[in-house]
Every structure is written in C-alpha cells, then in structure tokens.
Amino acid sequence: MNDDTTGLKAHRPQMWFPRGKDSDELKPVEEVLAERNQFWQTIKSKLTKTELMEINKNASKTSYDTDIFKVLDGETYDSLYKRVNACMVETQQGNDELSQKRATGFRRISNGMQKFAQSFNDFLRTYSGLVDVVQAVDGQYGGLAWGTLSLLFIVVANKQRIEDQIQSAIEDLRSRLPEMSVYGQIYPDSSLREEVAKVFRGVIVFARAATLYYKGHGYSRWMRAAGGARELEGKVEDIRNSVANVRARCDVLLSKTIQGREGIAHFTTCSFKPPPQIAKTKWSETYKKNQELNLKVTQISEANQELNLKVSQLQESKDRDHLTMFLTDLGLQDSAEDQRESLPEYNSGLYLLVKGSKRKEMRLATLGKEDEYARWLNCSHSCVLALSGQNHRSVASRNSLFWLSRAVTDMIEQLQERGQLVAYHLCQVRDGSAEDVLLSIIHQILKTKPSILRDTSQFDRLRGLTKRQAWRNKDIGAFSDILDGIISLLSKQTPDSGPIYIIIDRLDRCSSGQISRVQLVRALVRLATETVGLVKIMVVTRDDIWNLGKYVDEFEISEPEKWVHLSLHQQKW
C-alpha cells in the first residue's frame, strides 16, 4: 500500500488542480491575471517617489521607475511578510531613528498603522495557505497575489491614515479564512476548488479597489461622491460569501479524512487467521505483510490523532476570533474583570450583618426550605424568581449590604462547583447601569461558551443585531434580542447540559440609564417566556431602596407560572 493511499503524507498543493491551468475552476484566477497589466498602468502614474522607492527595496535595481511592476510580480509571501514586519519595527522605534529613515523609507506612522500592520500580517498568514494551492499550478499566480497586496500595504503605510472600512475588512477576512495547514490535510473536490479560486480573485479585486481608493486626490470626497465605500463593501461581502463556502467545505472534507483513516485502521486491525491449507512459506510471507500493515495502521492512528488535535485547535482559534470580534461590536474587552475574585471579600462583609448579634443569617440551605424557591428551582420550564425583603431594623439604614445576598453567593459558588453555567452580576460590588448588567451577563455566557459563535451564519446574524439603530440607541429590545439569540444557540448546541442560570444581586443598586430597572425586569420576564432554551433567572432587591412588588403590573407577566416572588425579612433568634 502506498503512502498516498494511506493518507499519511500531507496532501500536496499541486494535486488540488490535477488538470493544471486547464482546470475550469481556475477561470476566476485567469480573469484577474489578465487584468493585471491594465491595473498596473492605471496606478503607475499615481504612485509617489517614496512609494516607488519602497517597492524597489525588494529589487536588484536602484532606479525607481524601471520594471517597477516586474518587482511587484516577483514578490513572495516571505518578502511581503518581512516588509510588513519592518514597518511594525519602525513604528516602535524612537524619533531620532525615524527621522533618519524618512529619506529612504516609511514616514512616521500612527498607532493605527501599527494595528493595521499586525492585522495585515495575520491576514497574510491565513491567506498564504490558499495562495499556495493556487500558485502550485503556475508561479505567476503567487506573484500576482503578493505583488498586489504589497502595493496596497505600501500605499496605506505612506498615506498615514487607516480607514476603518479597510481595517475591519482585513480583520474580518483574517478571522474567516481557514488556517493555512488545513489545505494540506484534505482532498479537495470540484466545488471547493471553485470557491478557493473565487476567494483568491476576490482578495485581489478588493486590494486593487482599496489601492485606487487611497490614491485618489481628495480620496474621502471621491469615495463619497462615487459610491466607492459601497463598492468596497460589496467586494468584501462577495469574498465573505466565498470564504464561508470554503470554510464549510473544508470542515466537511476534514471530517471525511478523519473517518477514512478510522475506516482503514478498523479494517486492518481485524484478527488474521490463515486457513490451514496455506503452506508454511506462504504463511511466513503473509504474516510479514500483515506486520507491515499493522505498522501502517499505527502510523495512521497517530496521524489521525494529530489531525483531530489540529481540527480542535482550528475550531478553538475560530471561536476566539469570533468572540473578540463580537465583544468589540458590543464595546467590551475580553480581559474584563472576573467577579469571582470579589466573592470572598463580599461574603466577609455580609457576615458582619450577623456577627455579634442575634440577627438571623440567610444561607442557601435555609433558602432551599422555602416553597417558592424550591418551585422555581425544580420547575421544568424557564422561570424568574424575584427575591426581596429587608434587613432587621437594628441594622443601620446607612449599611448598604443585604442579608439575602449571602444565600445568593452560596448559590453562585455551588453552581460553579457543579460545572453548571451561571452568569451573574453583583450590583453591590460593581456599580453600573442596567445596560452594564446586561452586557456583563452576555459577556460571561460568551466567554464560558465561545463555541456557540462557531457557525459563521449564526455569528453573522448575531453581529447583524449590533448594527441596527436600536442597538446604537441602547434600546432594551436590542439587548433582549442578543441575549435571547445567545441562549437559544447555546441550548441547541448543548441541549442536555441543564438550565442556564442568570443571577442579578441587588438590582436596587443599579442606576437607571437609558434602560430603567422596570424595563430590565420586563426584559427578563420576556426572556423566560419566549426563549427556546431553559433559563432560570434570579433577581434580588432590597425593598426599602426599590420595592419590586410595586411594579409587578408593569412587568407584563403573561404566563404566571414563569414568575415567582419570594419576600423574606430578617428576624432575630
């Protein structure tokens, strides 16, 4: 059995298009190659002396106006990668060194350029895998891709201004493209080859349009007048669609590769018992072949384990990229403070409410004996528990703590120990508005389960909610739609994982911004009523600060069984 049959070797790029340049799937690549000279001639007169000198840094000639585009056609991934890295290094150097380099290199570049260069480098790494399989057919395809992207980078760097649209497009494409190692692990079919060629062409078309955008005189005005921004966005959307198809097809073919290897391994590990009529010599030869086959099986199993690990790593990388992008859309950072670090100190403060006094302490074991709590906890449907009350009158009114909060922190810790998903916000610990509370809940769920953003179509749908006017206006409905969408996805992905718990401690301390406390509770009631998942929500308030019971009619409780109100006032022994 040869290596190609066992699949032990990485799939060679040249086998992606076995008919070479005669492959019908390469038609988009041939089209964009045919347009190369026309683009070069269009852009040549617009390039500055500094830009021409930058291009020639990778050339053997010193003249900046001779065979300039042959230089670009000779670009490689390595040369472009070094060019971008050199720019990144330069932006980090001191003013004196920058001044010395201005005559022969990039001008001073802002922090925005530093960010763009990093995103561009990350994009090059993922895009290079796709270019490799195309340029294996014809080396000039590689020069076309890297030369066009090199020119775009040089023009952007010297313009010293990064348009948000260009920046976001590069980051978006980087996160969507499969990692370069994927292309060596799968056996492509015609549909995948066709989509790969479309992505290859789409990136070059976008890079050309972006370069012309930057080189236009008064380019911002020109873009608005000519509809260039919409044209660029249209090109990016075309690439997104093709990339989504590439990624989806790669996932399918990776799975087939794994299943194929497992099938081979299963077949060849079956027990082998020769018929008695086989002669001793024949048996010896057969036994030797069987031993060789078993060795192949071991190698296949090891390669399959590596491939499974690679698939897992690629999926996790995709999840992290999607999480970062979505948190950015929400105006959040992935490094937000973890409230768990505040629990011990919070618990210590709550203990002072009962220390040295005869006031009763509320712990989870005691709360669990209440019928209303047990009904909320054990019901098979989504439900909201409103837990309210007051401290004993002997507690100074200026004391901001609440005796029921200790049972709440007990519950949070218990759920975490059991590995159940709980998202909570301690308003006593972290001041903020109702919007902050909702964002905190959304952030925690996503950070705990980033895999719910893995599906590109669902991810795009969620991101689309943040582009609406309602989200920009901080409308409570927009927050509700996003939270409901996240919980629905999570429930479909892990239907047997049990309820999702949402706990808001001390809503009475939440400041009213554009979203009021009443609106927040109403949104939580709506979530329990309408979501397809199973969610248990607890809202804790102190009556003497904000009496939740007075607003029940405003919560729009359409299904009474999904609302439980438990009021408990602190007593003495």
Side-chain angles (χ1 to χ4, degrees), residues 84-101:
V84 178
N85 270 343
C87 173
M88 293 174 64
V89 169
E90 185 169 349
T91 62
Q92 296 172 347
Q93 292 175 338
N95 291 337
D96 291 342
E97 188 174 349
L98 281 171
S99 297
Q100 294 173 4
K101 288 192 173 185

Side-chain angles (χ1 to χ4, degrees), residues 344 346-370 390-392 394-395 401-410 413 568-573:
Y346 189 32
N347 287 336
S348 297
L350 293 170
Y351 176 66
L352 295 178
L353 285 175
V354 298
K355 181 181 179 181
S357 73
K358 294 183 179 181
R359 292 187 291 268
K360 288 185 178 181
E361 183 181 24
M362 177 59 73
R363 301 297 296 268
L364 184 60
T366 306
L367 182 62
K369 297 176 183 178
E370 299 290 337
Q390 293 185 36
N391 294 329
H392 190 268
S394 62
V395 178
L401 298 173
F402 184 35
W403 81 296
L404 292 178
S405 295
R406 190 62 183 90
V408 175
T409 58
D410 277 348
E413 291 171 340
L568 297 170
H569 301 299
Q570 189 179 28
Q571 305 293 329
K572 280 194 173 183
W573 294 103

Side-chain angles (χ1 to χ4, degrees), residues 170-189:
I170 292 295
E171 292 179 351
D172 192 27
L173 295 177
R174 173 191 62 81
S175 69
R176 292 169 184 268
L177 280 167
E179 292 289 330
M180 60 181 296
S181 56
V182 169
Y183 301 99
Q185 300 283 357
I186 57 179
Y187 296 85
D189 57 14

Side-chain angles (χ1 to χ4, degrees), residues 45-97:
S45 61
K46 300 177 183 293
L47 297 177
T48 66
K49 181 176 180 179
T50 302
E51 290 164 346
L52 292 169
M53 292 175 69
E54 284 296 334
I55 294 172
N56 264 310
K57 277 188 173 181
N58 289 351
S60 57
K61 299 180 181 181
T62 57
S63 174
Y64 63 78
D65 60 355
T66 303
D67 297 327
I68 190 66
F69 298 118
K70 286 186 179 180
V71 176
L72 288 172
D73 288 339
E75 281 276 19
T76 64
Y77 168 73
D78 289 336
S79 64
L80 179 51
Y81 184 84
K82 290 177 181 177
R83 186 190 295 281
V84 178
N85 270 343
C87 173
M88 293 174 64
V89 169
E90 185 169 349
T91 62
Q92 296 172 347
Q93 292 175 338
N95 291 337
D96 291 342
E97 188 174 349

Side-chain angles (χ1 to χ4, degrees), residues 417-428:
E417 289 173 0
R418 293 177 177 177
Q420 292 181 272
L421 199 160
V422 53
Y424 61 94
H425 191 87
L426 308 175
C427 300
Q428 175 74 37

